[in-house]
Amino acid sequence: KTDFSECLDLSRDYKGPKATRVDTKGSSSSQEYGGEIWKILPVPGLYVIRGALDMKQQVYWAMTSVSEFSRCEHTNLTNLHGAQPDHWKKAVEEHDVGKGTGFHGLRWASLGYHYDWTKRLYYKNEKSDFPDELAKLASTLAAKVGYQVKSEAAIVNFYPFDASMGGHVDDAELTLSYPIVSVSLGCSA
């Protein structure tokens, strides 16, 4: 049996030594995105914004991810096999995103600075355009917890139903003095 005693469940009225809810009354941050803000106490600078995106915003960003970001120039598929067809369009036309499709093989897309997964590095000379609207989302969410950010790189991860993200460390950024903004969409953890 899995022991979840060390996990934080912020979906309930958590009261304990590991997290505290941040009071946002009188905050001047954008009301475009909502959510409860939780400061995770054992990790300086770590915040969780539960419900930052309403359902309409979640659907918008999920559709943008699969229909636009999946077609960017630097993905795991282009990295291995060169230029790719529009796998999402083909999957929609064929009503199939299953294991036999190219879309099922998509795992990540890099926006802005491209990430080298083998060397765990970003290169200044390998860069594509960074979507303005995504930069605005990241800036707005960072501002909700008191940070300023200029987005220059994003990794959009795509997971089929039978996959999950494993433990990892985000330490390849050129500077660690700016926040990482992470947005999760889809099935609950």
Side-chain angles (χ1 to χ4, degrees), residues 66-73 75 77-78 81-91 93-94 100-106:
V66 297
S67 64
E68 293 179 30
F69 301 158
S70 68
R71 295 182 295 129
C72 75
E73 79 179 66
T75 70
L77 297 175
T78 61
H81 310 292
Q84 295 288 300
D86 186 342
H87 290 297
W88 175 249
K89 182 179 178 185
K90 185 177 179 194
E93 288 171 353
E94 295 176 1
T101 67
F103 189 77
H104 187 272
L106 182 66

Side-chain angles (χ1 to χ4, degrees), residues 5-22:
S5 63
E6 294 295 316
C7 293
L8 290 176
D9 183 357
L10 301 178
S11 66
R12 296 191 168 85
D13 193 18
Y14 177 82
K15 290 180 177 38
K18 294 183 179 181
T20 185
R21 190 166 176 188
V22 177

Side-chain angles (χ1 to χ4, degrees), residues 3-4 22 33 39 44 69 71 76 136 139 144 146:
D3 177 13
F4 293 106
V22 177
Y33 300 102
K39 183 176 185 176
F69 301 158
R71 295 182 295 129
N76 65 298
K136 181 183 176 200
S139 294
K144 290 182 96 42

Side-chain angles (χ1 to χ4, degrees), residues 88-143:
W88 175 249
K89 182 179 178 185
K90 185 177 179 194
V92 169
E93 288 171 353
E94 295 176 1
H95 303 287
D96 184 10
V97 293
K99 290 187 179 184
T101 67
F103 189 77
H104 187 272
L106 182 66
R107 292 296 177 267
W108 56 261
S110 287
L111 309 172
Y113 286 103
H114 300 175
Y115 185 66
D116 182 327
W117 291 86
T118 304
K119 296 181 180 175
R120 300 189 68 240
L121 294 170
Y122 288 97
Y123 297 104
K124 288 185 179 183
N125 61 341
E126 294 182 24
K127 181 180 180 187
S128 55
D129 291 335
F130 193 91
D132 291 337
E133 199 172 15
L134 184 59
K136 181 183 176 200
L137 171 65
S139 294
T140 302
L141 295 176

